[in-house]
Amino acid sequence: MLDIRWIREEPEALDRALSRRGQPPRADLVLALDRARRDLQTRLQELQSERNRLSREIGAAKAKKLDAGDLMTKVAALKDDTARLEAEERAKAAELDALLAVVPNVPDASVPDGKDETANVEVRRHGTPKKFAFAPKDHTALGTALGLMDFDAAARMSGARFVVLKGALARLERALGSFMLDLQTGEHGYSEHNVPHLVRDEAVFGTGQLPKFADDLFKTTLGNWLIPTAEVSLTNLVREQIVDDAVLPMRLTAYTPCYRSEAGAAGKDTTGMIRQHQFTKVELVSITRPEDSDAEHERMTRCAETVLERLELPYRTMLLSAGDMGFSSRKTYDIEVWLPGQDRYREISSCSNCGDFQARRMNARFRRGEQKPEFVHTLNGSGLAVGRTLVAVLENYQNADGSVTVPAALRPYMGGMEKIARA
RNA sequence: GGACGGGUGGCCGAGUGGUCGAAGGCAACGGUUUGCUAAACCGUCAUACGGUCAAAAGCUGUAUCGAGGGUUCGAAUCCCUCCCCGUCCGCCA
């Protein structure tokens, strides 16, 4: 949510930001609604003021046992006007709120222009894709041949975009989660959390998935939403809170399943584990002071990259263009891991600085000393998506005989296992 | 799921229809007193959004006693719905 006062002062900046995201201008509409709402508010308040004054006189008259009949008819006359104005003011405010709720965050000055991912800028690259002496298989072929990855069984009970992992692959998933959590908590200062996976409307509105992206989410019969990422649960830890300056930056992490309807992804990545309705992820969230969020963003991105470095997986880091960024973000780095089975880099982490955009939506603030509360800045990043990391491990560590070498960093989590082979 | 009891300012807590944004206390802040500390005393002490102003300050108005609706000239107080917390019962990993 953007600051309406900022829009009043710099409406042209809003339209410029929208244009960078490939959206039509909306400042005129926002300003018109805002003006109309405030005019209604002023008129309403004048009526209320008059009503309050007369009501006090009635009270005073009655206390003195005087007749207040005239006064009461006077106030009654105000009633219709007050009720009508109140309804109008409320309707106008709701209209304005609904509009502001779907206006995306303003891209940072350092974000490159561009309408989609073709304009993303590579900022660094690590490792070199391995040359295989044989034609590398993709993870689906590898996992299926190992007898440890069963899409058919998953489809029978759940439909498309689900998988059953067995044996060493099931354990590999757990090992990756534990390894990532240990790294982020033990070396990078993130505190581990176990959070709700079902949340209310307000929580999902807070992080920005609602109201615009409800189609991407699953909803329970009780009305709760399944989290599409632990960003929702972790960031909402500070909703409606005023935290002390001294506790910032807060660095939070959680290992959770993520549920996504993938409504807009029909036909994309239809096979394999790349795009599933359910996957696990170690999420990183930072809550910072405004002046610290840029540095924290760089740090967080490095925390995510470190996972890939420890696993010795080649990756590149992309700075997303304005047109490719998510709704709540003002600047995003995507980390893409090399997948030999696809012969290209694929997104495995996305690290975003949301500035105060989410904080406004969830009213998350902090206080410096005795000063007035200010909105915090919120950041989130995957550290990493476990399902896709498993895919990357399988494809990059595959051997000619179809077995998969266990990365050294994971062996302690695999009971010392060095290789995953068909039993 | 059933039956009760609760949600009031940073905290505690009073307030069942009329100058109540809300007594009192604690904490905090400023001051007086004081060798220092403490104590005592005096004062200040919610937020949001409007209007006024070039702007800020100031002044002024409105709203806010869990949320939303309703009754009433007037609601913290009465009614309805919802949310949250607690206790007991049932069920249950």
Side-chain angles (χ1 to χ4, degrees):
Chain A
M1 187 88 80
L2 300 176
D3 186 356
I4 183 70
R5 276 175 291 200
W6 173 79
I7 299 176
R8 273 178 212 151
E9 283 163 24
E10 305 189 46
E12 66 294 335
L14 170 63
D15 283 343
R16 216 179 308 127
L18 286 169
S19 147
R20 294 190 72 198
R21 282 184 179 267
Q23 296 194 14
R26 268 181 283 200
D28 282 353
L29 182 53
V30 172
L31 290 182
L33 284 171
D34 180 47
R35 186 70 261 164
R37 204 215 100 237
R38 282 195 286 165
D39 288 346
L40 284 167
Q41 185 183 3
T42 304
R43 284 161 57 202
L44 172 63
Q45 290 186 349
E46 281 164 4
L47 281 185
Q48 287 171 325
S49 177
E50 177 69 1
R51 183 198 63 194
N52 289 347
R53 192 180 63 77
L54 291 171
S55 287
R56 276 194 297 268
E57 280 182 31
I58 293 170
K62 291 208 163 174
K64 289 183 212 148
K65 304 262 195 278
L66 298 172
D67 174 54
D70 285 357
L71 286 168
M72 283 170 74
T73 38
K74 255 168 116 177
V75 184
L78 286 176
K79 231 188 158 185
D80 285 349
D81 280 352
T82 312
R84 184 177 48 78
L85 269 183
E86 204 170 344
E88 283 178 32
E89 195 272 343
R90 197 174 305 176
K92 200 55 80 175
E95 210 181 322
L96 178 60
D97 287 346
L99 176 58
L100 288 177
V102 298
V103 173
N105 203 353
V106 176
D108 188 75
S110 62
V111 168
D113 283 323
K115 64 179 191 343
D116 55 30
E117 71 278 0
T118 58
N120 295 349
V121 174
E122 181 175 323
V123 293
R124 57 183 162 269
R125 191 179 278 240
H126 183 273
T128 315
K130 185 175 164 183
K131 299 269 189 287
F132 289 89
F134 54 94
K137 300 192 179 78
D138 73 15
H139 68 281
T140 310
L142 287 162
T144 308
L146 284 167
L148 302 177
M149 191 180 283
D150 193 338
F151 291 97
D152 295 336
R156 265 179 266 128
M157 68 178 101
S158 301
R161 297 200 191 282
F162 289 93
V163 69
V164 174
L165 298 180
K166 309 183 216 180
L169 284 195
R171 185 165 189 181
L172 183 59
E173 164 104 13
R174 178 162 57 92
L176 282 165
S178 294
F179 163 70
M180 292 178 197
L181 267 183
D182 284 353
L183 175 63
Q184 306 301 2
T185 58
E187 298 185 38
H188 296 154
Y190 283 86
S191 62
E192 184 171 348
H193 287 68
N194 203 308
V195 294
H197 303 165
L198 264 49
V199 297
R200 299 173 188 282
D201 294 359
E202 299 90 301
V204 196
F205 178 88
T207 39
Q209 286 84 6
L210 286 186
K212 236 187 145 176
F213 308 101
D215 286 351
D216 296 334
L217 306 174
F218 289 112
K219 190 175 193 176
T220 69
T221 51
L222 288 176
N224 287 311
W225 302 88
L226 274 72
I227 56 170
T229 157
E231 166 201 347
V232 176
S233 311
L234 289 173
T235 310
N236 275 282
L237 284 170
V238 290
R239 75 171 295 114
E240 293 161 40
Q241 299 293 301
I242 301 175
V243 300
D244 194 275
D245 187 33
V247 308
L248 302 178
M250 292 169 70
R251 297 192 173 110
L252 317 167
T253 186
Y255 174 51
T256 70
C258 304
Y259 301 94
R260 300 186 180 180
S261 74
E262 298 296 347
K268 266 193 230 166
D269 305 308
T270 48
T271 61
M273 286 180 63
I274 291 290
R275 191 176 301 276
Q276 303 256 288
H277 286 309
Q278 171 191 326
F279 61 96
T280 62
K281 181 158 59 70
V282 170
E283 181 72 1
L284 306 175
V285 162
S286 292
I287 312 293
T288 75
R289 304 180 201 186
E291 65 269 27
D292 297 332
S293 70
D294 284 334
E296 183 71 12
H297 189 210
E298 300 299 323
R299 183 187 189 277
M300 173 182 277
T301 306
R302 285 295 304 143
C303 290
E305 289 169 347
T306 302
V307 177
L308 292 169
E309 290 170 24
R310 296 288 171 87
L311 294 172
E312 300 176 70
L313 292 168
Y315 69 84
R316 63 177 190 177
T317 302
M318 311 295 288
L319 175 57
L320 298 197
S321 72
D324 198 29
M325 284 198 308
F327 176 77
S328 297
S329 179
R330 69 174 210 195
K331 182 173 182 177
T332 297
Y333 291 114
D334 270 10
I335 302 171
E336 300 181 341
V337 69
W338 177 254
L339 293 186
Q342 298 198 1
D343 198 34
R344 64 176 180 122
Y345 288 95
R346 288 300 303 258
E347 176 183 345
I348 197 167
S349 174
S350 190
C351 299
S352 297
N353 183 356
C354 298
D356 63 10
F357 187 83
Q358 294 179 322
R360 282 180 193 286
R361 294 172 85 92
M362 60 178 80
N363 199 21
R365 296 172 293 171
F366 76 105
R367 198 195 297 273
R368 308 177 204 254
E370 300 294 308
Q371 291 176 250
K372 280 202 157 196
E374 303 168 54
F375 288 113
V376 296
H377 277 198
T378 61
L379 304 93
N380 64 80
S382 352
L384 307 164
V386 173
R388 288 191 180 181
T389 309
L390 185 135
V391 167
V393 167
L394 293 185
E395 295 192 4
N396 283 279
Y397 281 86
Q398 63 181 293
N399 304 307
D401 65 358
S403 67
V404 173
T405 303
V406 176
L410 294 179
R411 287 179 196 166
Y413 295 90
M414 294 289 288
M417 188 187 298
E418 294 180 9
K419 189 187 272 194
I420 300 172
R422 178 150 194 125

